[in-house]
C-alpha cells in the first residue's frame, strides 16, 4: 500500500496519530521536499519517528517514481507531504501511476494552508479560485493570475495567493549549460508578492490589485510564531513578515461585517484600513 | 489558553500529536457536536484520550460560551471540532468572544472536507465558492445556492456542495410549542441533494444542474470506507453512498484532461460519462 501522509503546517508533532502509526511500521519513508517546507528539519522528523527518512526531490518523484513504488504492492510505503497531500500541491500523478500498477493507495489527510487561511477571519465559503504567484525575472513575468483575480473580484470573493518556493531549482544559466548546480532555496515574501501585484496592476489597470486594495498577509500559519497582518497592498509591500512560509489574501468586496471586524484587528493602521474600506466600497457588493 | 483543535475526518486517531498533547493536559475538554460527526462515538474518544469529554451542543456554544471560556485566561481549555476548527464551520465567533475577554487562543488545524475533496482528482485550484444545501421542507426551499452555482459555472469552476446535517434540531412544530423535543439526527445523502438540485433546475432553467450535469458524490472521505462515485446528476440521484457524511461536487466545464481521467474511473457508467462530457462541452472552456 502506498500511503500519502500529510504532515500539517508546523512541526514534527503535527502528523496525525494514524499517520504516525503508518510511518513507524512502513518499509520505507519518503519526504516530499520541493513544494513546501516544515518549520523543522529532516533530523527532527527522524528523531521523533524513530525512522530514517529519504528525501524525495522533484527528480525522484517525477522521473523515478518507480523507486518509490517498488514493492508497494506487498509492502507499506509512506510518502510524507507537508500540509495535505492533495492540497496546494496535488500528488494525483503519483496516485495515477500507482493505480496503473494496481498498487493500492490511501491518503491520510492533514491541515492545509487552503483551510488554515480561515485564521485571518475570512470565511472559506467566500473564497474564489486560488492563485499562484511565481518570482518574476527580467525575461519572465507571468500574469495569467491577474485574469483569475478579475474573475474573483467581479464576484466579490476573496482570493488566496500561494507564493513561489524555489527549492533545489536550477537557474536558467545552469540549465543552459546542463550542469546540476542548484541555487539556494528561495521563498517569496508577502512584500515581494505585493510589489509584483502592484507592478502588473500598473500595466493592466483593471483596479483589482492597486496600492489601495485591501489584503491580508500571513506567515508561518498554524505555528506558534504565526503572524497575520492586514492592510493596503502598498502597506504590505513594505511589511516584514519574518521567516517563511508566507501567503497573501486579496479581500473580496462582498466581505461581511463580522469578517471585517476580525481581520481589521490585524491592520498595520486601522485608520488606513477604514479609509480604504470606505473609499473602495467594501462590504457593499 | 483556549485551544481550538481539529479532529480530522475519520476516527479518534486522526487528531495530531500536538493536539493530543493539549487534550491530555487540558483542564476541560469540549467536543463540538452539532455541525459534523466523526465516524466514532464520544466513548471511543474518551478511551483513547484518557479524558472525560463534555459534549458542546449549539445552545452551549452560542448562548452559554461563558461556561466554555471559564478560567481560560489561566488554564488550558480544549475545544474539539471535527475536521478543521475554521473549515466548513467557522468558530470565529467563539474566538472573537475570547478575544474580547483577553483570553489567548490557539488553533491546531487538521484535515477538512474542503481540501480532502481533492481525493476526487479534481484540483483545488479550480474550485469556486463552496455551497451549502439544506433539507427542503414543503414550506421552505431556499435556492440562493443556485445563484452562486451560476457564478462558478460561468467561470468553468468546480463547486463543492456541503450537505445538511440536523443534529439535535427542533422541528417547526416543537419550536412552535416551545418544547425541547429533538428529532433524530439526519444527514443529507448525495441522492437527496441531487434530487433537490434537479428540482430547482426545473424551475430556474439556467442549465447549471440539470439531469445530465456531471457531478461527483463522496461519502466518508478520509476513512477506510471512503466512497467516490461520479456520473450525471440523474445517476447520482439514484445512487446509494451508504453511511454519512456525504458531499457532492458539481464538475466545472474548464475541467482538465488529467482531472477527467482520474474522476472518470469512479463513473457509474463510463459510457454515460463520456456522452455527457461530449454533449455538454466539458473540457472546452
Amino acid at each position: 500500500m502506498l500511503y500519502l501522509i500529510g504532515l500539517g503546517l508546523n512541526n514534527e508533532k503535527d502528523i496525525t496519530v494514524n499517520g504516525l502509526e503508518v510511518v513507524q511500521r512502513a518499509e520505507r519513508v519518503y519526504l516530499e521536499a520541493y513544494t513546501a517546507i516544515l518549520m523543522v528539519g529532516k533530523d527532527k522528523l527522524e528523531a521523533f519517528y524513530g525512522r530514517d527518512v529519504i528525501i524525495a526531490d522533484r527528480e525522484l518523484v517525477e522521473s523515478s517514481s518507480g523507486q518509490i513504488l517498488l514493492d508497494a504492492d506487498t509492502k507499506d510505503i509512506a510518502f510524507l507531504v507537508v500540509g495535505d497531500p492533495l492540497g496546494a500541491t496535488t500528488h494525483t500523478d503519483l496516485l495515477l501511476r500507482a493505480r496503473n500498477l494496481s498498487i493500492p493507495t490511501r491518503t491520510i489527510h492533514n491541515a492545509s494552508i487552503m483551510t488554515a487561511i480561515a485564521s485571518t477571519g475570512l470565511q472559506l465559503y467566500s473564497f474564489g479560485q486560488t492563485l499562484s504567484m511565481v518570482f518574476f525575472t527580467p525575461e519572465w513575468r507571468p500574469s495569467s493570475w491577474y485574469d483569475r483575480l478579475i474573475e474573483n473580484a467581479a464576484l466579490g470573493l476573496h482570493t488566496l495567493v500561494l507564493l513561489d518556493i524555489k527549492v533545489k531549482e536550477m537557474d536558467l544559466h545552469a540549465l543552459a549549460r546542463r550542469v546540476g548546480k542548484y541555487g539556494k532555496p528561495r521563498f517569496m515574501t508577502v512584500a515581494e508578492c505585493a510589489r509584483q501585484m502592484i507592478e502588473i496592476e500598473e500595466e493592466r489597470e483593471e483596479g483589482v490589485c492597486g496600492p489601495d486594495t485591501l489584503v491580508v498577509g500571513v506567515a508561518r500559519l498554524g505555528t506558534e510564531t504565526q503572524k497575520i497582518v492586514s492592510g493596503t497592498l502598498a502597506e504590505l509591500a513594505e511589511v516584514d513578515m519574518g521567516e517563511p512560509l508566507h501567503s497573501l489574501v486579496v479581500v473580496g468586496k462582498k466581505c461581511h461585517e463580522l469578517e471585517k471586524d476580525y481581520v481589521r484587528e490585524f491592520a498595520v493602521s486601522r485608520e488606513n484600513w477604514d479609509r480604504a474600506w470606505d473609499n473602495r466600497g467594501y462590504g457593499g457588493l
Side-chain angles (χ1 to χ4, degrees), chain A:
Chain A
M1 175 91 83
L2 171 70
Y3 285 90
L4 263 60
I5 302 174
L7 296 185
L9 299 167
N10 187 7
N11 61 29
E12 71 277 14
K13 291 186 177 177
D14 273 319
I15 193 168
T16 66
V17 177
N18 275 325
L20 183 60
E21 289 182 355
V22 173
V23 167
Q24 288 175 334
R25 71 162 191 260
E27 182 77 9
R28 297 187 305 279
V29 181
Y30 294 92
L31 172 65
E32 190 269 71
Y34 58 94
T35 59
I37 54 154
L38 272 191
M39 306 307 289
V40 297
K42 174 187 147 179
D43 50 328
K44 271 270 180 80
L45 294 182
E46 290 184 323
F48 181 65
Y49 301 154
R51 297 295 312 269
D52 285 340
V53 170
I54 306 162
I55 295 287
D57 58 20
R58 194 187 292 273
E59 287 165 26
L60 181 63
V61 177
E62 294 185 356
S63 311
S64 313
S65 62
Q67 278 182 50
I68 296 171
L69 296 174
L70 190 71
D71 299 330
D73 49 342
T74 53
K75 289 168 178 163
D76 286 340
I77 308 297
F79 184 81
L80 311 181
V81 183
V82 174
D84 186 273
L86 306 176
T89 310
T90 61
H91 284 285
T92 42
D93 47 347
L94 189 62
L95 289 175
L96 269 176
R97 269 172 266 163
R99 191 194 263 176
N100 292 338
L101 296 167
S102 302
I103 292 168
T105 64
R106 185 152 179 238
T107 302
I108 298 187
H109 295 283
N110 208 323
S112 162
I113 179 69
M114 296 177 96
T115 43
I117 195 66
S119 295
T120 54
L122 300 175
Q123 297 229 3
L124 293 185
Y125 286 92
S126 303
F127 277 74
Q129 307 159 79
T130 300
L131 310 182
S132 295
M133 179 71 68
V134 302
F135 282 113
F136 287 178
T137 69
E139 302 89 14
W140 195 55
R141 302 191 310 145
S143 63
S144 61
W145 55 266
Y146 191 87
D147 299 302
R148 302 290 87 71
L149 184 57
I150 292 173
E151 293 173 345
N152 287 347
L155 299 176
L157 300 174
H158 310 311
T159 304
L160 170 61
V161 186
L162 300 176
L163 309 191
D164 204 2
I165 295 176
K166 291 225 173 297
V167 182
K168 218 179 163 183
E169 300 269 343
M170 291 187 236
D171 66 24
L172 277 178
H173 301 284
L175 270 178
R177 283 175 287 140
R178 294 185 180 279
V179 292
K181 194 170 161 244
Y182 300 111
K184 272 208 303 189
R186 285 176 71 201
F187 305 95
M188 188 182 288
T189 66
V190 162
E192 287 171 318
C193 176
R195 288 195 289 268
Q196 291 193 175
M197 294 183 86
I198 291 172
E199 196 179 314
I200 298 298
E201 176 64 41
E202 281 169 4
E203 294 171 13
R204 303 280 305 267
E205 294 186 324
E206 300 275 353
V208 291
C209 55
D212 57 347
T213 299
L214 289 176
V215 293
V216 189
V218 301
R220 302 171 303 285
L221 214 56
T223 77
E224 292 86 350
T225 67
Q226 144 180 326
K227 187 169 179 172
I228 303 178
V229 178
S230 61
T232 65
L233 208 44
E235 285 174 328
L236 274 281
E238 301 299 328
V239 86
D240 179 7
M241 304 285 294
E243 295 293 303
L245 300 172
H246 296 187
S247 305
L248 184 142
V249 180
V250 181
V251 177
K253 291 269 175 85
K254 220 166 53 178
C255 191
H256 190 274
E257 278 295 317
L258 200 73
E259 296 177 279
K260 178 201 172 186
D261 291 346
Y262 201 93
V263 75
R264 182 179 174 274
E265 295 282 318
F266 304 117
V268 176
S269 151
R270 290 189 195 159
E271 207 186 319
N272 290 348
W273 175 275
D274 290 339
R275 192 183 307 126
W277 180 276
D278 292 334
N279 288 349
R280 287 185 37 93
Y282 285 89
L285 211 72

